[in-house]
Amino acid sequence: MVYITEDLIRRRAEHNDCEILTLEEVSLHQQEIEKIEHIDRWCRELRILYLQNNLIPKIENLGRLKKLEYLNLALNNIEVVENLEGCESLQKLDLTVNFVGLLSSVDSLKNNIHLRELFLVGNPCTEFQGYRQYVVAALPQLKWLDGMEISRSERIRASQGLEQVRRRIREQETEYLRRKEEQREQEEQRKKEKKPGYDGRWYTDINNPGSQDNKENQELKENPRSPEEEEEEQEREFWHTPCAFTPESRLEAHRHLEEKRNTNRKETEKKTKAPRTLITADGRVMNVNEPRLAFSLTEDEDANTVVLDLAVYRHMDTSLLDVDVQPTYARVCVKGKIFQVVLPAEVKPDSSTAQRSQTTGHLVLRMPRAEGELKVKKNVPRPRRETQSCSSSTEDRKNKIPERLEVDSSRRTSVDIANIVQNTRGAPVEGSKTSHPEDFSEGFLDDPEVPPLI
């Protein structure tokens, strides 16, 4: 049995910041509630109340809701319309598919002067002869009944023969109550007959050896059924046995479903899985990936760290993650599922960091190597330089003496034009034109190796 509690109403008042004193609308449908209570004291400002599809047998504890305008009690076990006189602002009442058999109980709604719509579809009283005429005449403030508008002419006709219709309705109510009592007695008799031994004889009676019951018993002894087959047979018999649609049968079906859910829950608890082995008896750490997440394990040589990138779900809350870093392995609990990986080197757990990516949602663990671990360095080749002598260059660097390049003239390959006219004095070159002495300046020497100028 589910009770209306303060916690239940607060959970249903999220749209009002979980405040119930100023709550104007609340939905408590499909909660298996069996009694209306506390609402009229906690939620005085309510205007709309949804209580459909529950197991409520009686309308009660709603008289203090002076501002209530719409009340939905469809698909419940209500048999009488009552206790709504205090709902002064009530405009719409929905009692669809209930068990209202006393149609005269709608007279209690006369004081609800603002009532405009009433739904009684699916109730036993709608099968009474003169049902609509009686409701229209009894509640002159109504504008709509069962989704159909009430015209002015219909209201006049209903008021003219009200006394005769009222008398007929009372007779039908009496007949309905009599049939209901007979159905209740038949249902009790059927339940008693289902109990073993009710027929007054033992099932091992030898006086009737050829009876059908004895044959069935012999077959059961020879071929015993398994517990699963018996349970399936009982389930089939429960749902296929015809019964009257009454508040008791509806409550019985609910109890049966609840019992079956509890049984399945207990079986599930018994069949709990054995805990997964994370570390063997000899101390070997296992690699585990229960959440089946993609990951990458790399080494950052520049920072001398081990980096674990775990592809956690992007929109999952960080509070559902639990990280545990040990010197030789890292463990992450994702919504109760374990992810564990062995690290390639020993790390420092105290200096490790865990961060979530704001774009991808990935979990990144950066774990520095332990001090005993050596950092791997790459050998980068450098170009060689030719020097005259290692000793002299080392001494020059120490003394900070500038280095100068020496040029060897013997290794020159190009023509030296600096000494073309080196000697200006001497004899004239053979094969050249004769020059007058006055054409040359004093001290000129003619070089035979230099070709004449033409």
Side-chain angles (χ1 to χ4, degrees):
M1 181 175 179
V2 178
Y3 297 93
I4 298 178
T5 61
E6 182 178 350
D7 180 63
L8 175 61
I9 298 179
R10 287 191 186 279
R11 282 191 281 110
R12 291 289 181 168
E14 294 180 353
H15 58 283
N16 197 43
D17 296 332
C18 297
E19 296 182 4
I20 62 176
L21 294 178
T22 60
L23 190 63
E24 295 186 359
E25 178 180 350
V26 65
S27 178
L28 300 174
H29 65 287
Q30 297 180 351
Q31 297 294 314
E32 300 178 358
I33 298 172
E34 297 186 22
K35 185 178 180 180
I36 305 175
E37 54 185 352
H38 305 307
I39 298 179
D40 59 337
R41 292 187 291 107
W42 294 342
C43 310
R44 294 290 186 90
E45 303 295 325
L46 267 185
R47 296 180 181 272
I48 301 175
L49 177 58
Y50 296 98
L51 287 168
Q52 68 269 25
N53 202 357
N54 284 292
L55 300 170
I56 301 172
K58 183 179 180 181
I59 303 176
E60 56 185 341
N61 299 323
L62 295 175
R64 299 180 183 179
L65 301 178
K66 304 299 181 180
K67 298 182 180 180
L68 186 64
E69 298 177 359
Y70 176 35
L71 176 61
N72 193 331
L73 287 167
L75 295 169
N76 280 282
N77 296 340
I78 297 171
E79 300 184 64
V80 180
V81 182
E82 57 184 347
N83 300 325
L84 291 175
E85 295 84 354
C87 302
E88 301 173 356
S89 303
L90 187 63
Q91 299 179 11
K92 183 177 179 180
L93 177 61
D94 192 346
L95 294 170
T96 303
V97 190
N98 275 273
F99 298 93
V100 179
L102 298 177
L103 185 58
S104 58
S105 62
V106 300
D107 293 341
S108 62
L109 299 175
K110 287 183 178 180
N111 296 328
N112 303 99
I113 58 176
H114 299 288
L115 185 64
R116 296 292 180 265
E117 295 183 60
L118 177 62
F119 289 87
L120 292 171
V121 180
N123 286 274
C125 64
T126 58
E127 300 176 1
F128 292 175
Q129 184 179 1
Y131 148 73
R132 186 176 177 86
Q133 182 181 357
Y134 178 82
V135 176
V136 170
L139 303 175
Q141 72 271 28
L142 275 185
K143 300 294 183 183
W144 296 79
L145 177 60
D146 295 335
M148 298 178 61
E149 187 176 5
I150 301 173
S151 61
R152 183 179 179 182
S153 58
E154 182 183 6
R155 193 180 303 279
I156 294 174
R157 290 194 303 269
S159 59
Q160 289 175 351
L162 178 59
E163 293 300 327
Q164 184 179 358
V165 173
R166 193 190 301 275
R167 192 182 314 110
R168 212 165 40 236
I169 291 296
R170 289 176 179 174
E171 294 175 358
Q172 295 179 76
E173 288 178 350
T174 304
E175 180 66 19
Y176 167 77
L177 294 176
R178 185 186 63 80
R179 289 199 311 268
K180 182 180 177 181
E181 188 64 26
E182 291 179 356
Q183 289 178 355
R184 184 179 289 109
E185 293 178 357
Q186 293 176 1
E187 188 66 21
E188 292 178 357
Q189 185 73 12
R190 183 180 64 83
K191 290 180 180 179
K192 290 181 180 179
E193 290 177 355
K194 289 176 63 177
K195 297 180 179 180
Y198 177 76
D199 51 0
R201 65 178 177 81
W202 299 94
Y203 283 94
T204 57
D205 192 357
I206 60 176
N207 296 326
N208 295 320
S211 64
Q212 185 68 22
D213 295 334
N214 287 338
K215 289 182 179 179
E216 293 179 358
N217 293 335
Q218 291 177 359
E219 290 178 358
L220 289 175
K221 290 180 179 179
E222 294 175 358
N223 300 318
R225 297 179 181 178
S226 62
E228 291 78 9
E229 292 177 350
E230 292 182 358
E231 184 180 356
E232 185 178 354
E233 181 65 25
Q234 293 175 0
E235 191 74 13
R236 189 184 303 109
E237 182 182 357
F238 179 83
W239 292 112
H240 287 79
T241 302
C243 64
F245 183 63
T246 60
E248 293 78 12
S249 63
R250 188 166 182 261
L251 195 59
E252 182 183 2
H254 167 71
R255 295 278 188 266
H256 179 78
L257 291 174
E258 186 178 7
E259 182 179 356
K260 191 170 183 62
R261 283 197 299 266
N262 294 335
T263 304
N264 294 337
R265 190 182 301 112
K266 291 179 180 179
E267 291 179 355
T268 305
E269 292 176 355
K270 291 180 180 179
K271 296 180 181 179
T272 53
K273 296 182 179 179
R276 184 182 291 273
T277 302
L278 300 178
I279 302 177
T280 60
D282 56 354
R284 187 165 58 94
V285 181
M286 308 296 291
N287 289 328
V288 181
N289 190 0
E290 288 184 348
R292 299 182 180 180
L293 298 175
F295 70 96
S296 64
L297 186 63
T298 58
E299 298 182 38
D300 188 352
E301 297 174 354
D302 296 335
N304 197 25
T305 58
V306 179
V307 181
L308 173 62
D309 188 342
L310 186 60
V312 180
Y313 311 114
R314 179 178 181 181
H315 300 289
M316 191 178 70
D317 193 77
T318 308
S319 61
L320 300 175
L321 298 176
D322 187 14
V323 181
D324 181 19
V325 179
Q326 297 295 332
T328 57
Y329 67 91
R331 182 185 300 168
V332 181
C333 184
V334 183
K335 294 181 66 176
K337 296 183 178 180
I338 301 298
F339 172 86
Q340 181 172 283
V341 62
V342 180
L343 302 177
E346 188 174 349
V347 299
K348 301 178 185 178
D350 297 339
S351 303
S352 302
T353 60
Q355 292 180 336
R356 286 285 301 274
S357 174
Q358 295 183 353
T359 55
T360 62
H362 287 199
L363 177 66
V364 181
L365 301 181
R366 300 186 182 277
M367 299 164 282
R369 293 174 182 266
E371 294 179 357
E373 295 291 334
L374 297 178
K375 177 180 177 181
V376 180
K377 296 183 178 180
K378 293 183 178 180
N379 295 327
V380 180
R382 296 181 179 179
R384 297 180 179 178
R385 292 189 300 175
E386 295 181 358
T387 56
Q388 292 181 353
S389 60
C390 296
S391 59
S392 61
S393 60
T394 305
E395 292 176 359
D396 293 343
R397 290 194 193 96
K398 291 181 180 180
N399 300 327
K400 297 183 179 180
I401 301 175
E403 298 180 1
R404 293 182 175 83
L405 298 177
E406 296 182 1
V407 181
D408 189 359
S409 58
S410 62
R411 295 185 179 182
R412 183 181 297 158
T413 56
S414 59
V415 179
D416 187 7
I417 60 174
N419 300 323
I420 292 179
V421 186
Q422 186 173 5
N423 296 323
T424 56
R425 296 178 181 180
V429 182
E430 294 182 359
S432 61
K433 292 184 180 181
T434 305
S435 302
H436 298 281
E438 61 271 12
D439 296 335
F440 301 96
S441 60
E442 191 175 332
F444 172 77
L445 296 177
D446 190 9
D447 189 356
E449 295 180 1
V450 178
L453 296 175
I454 302 174

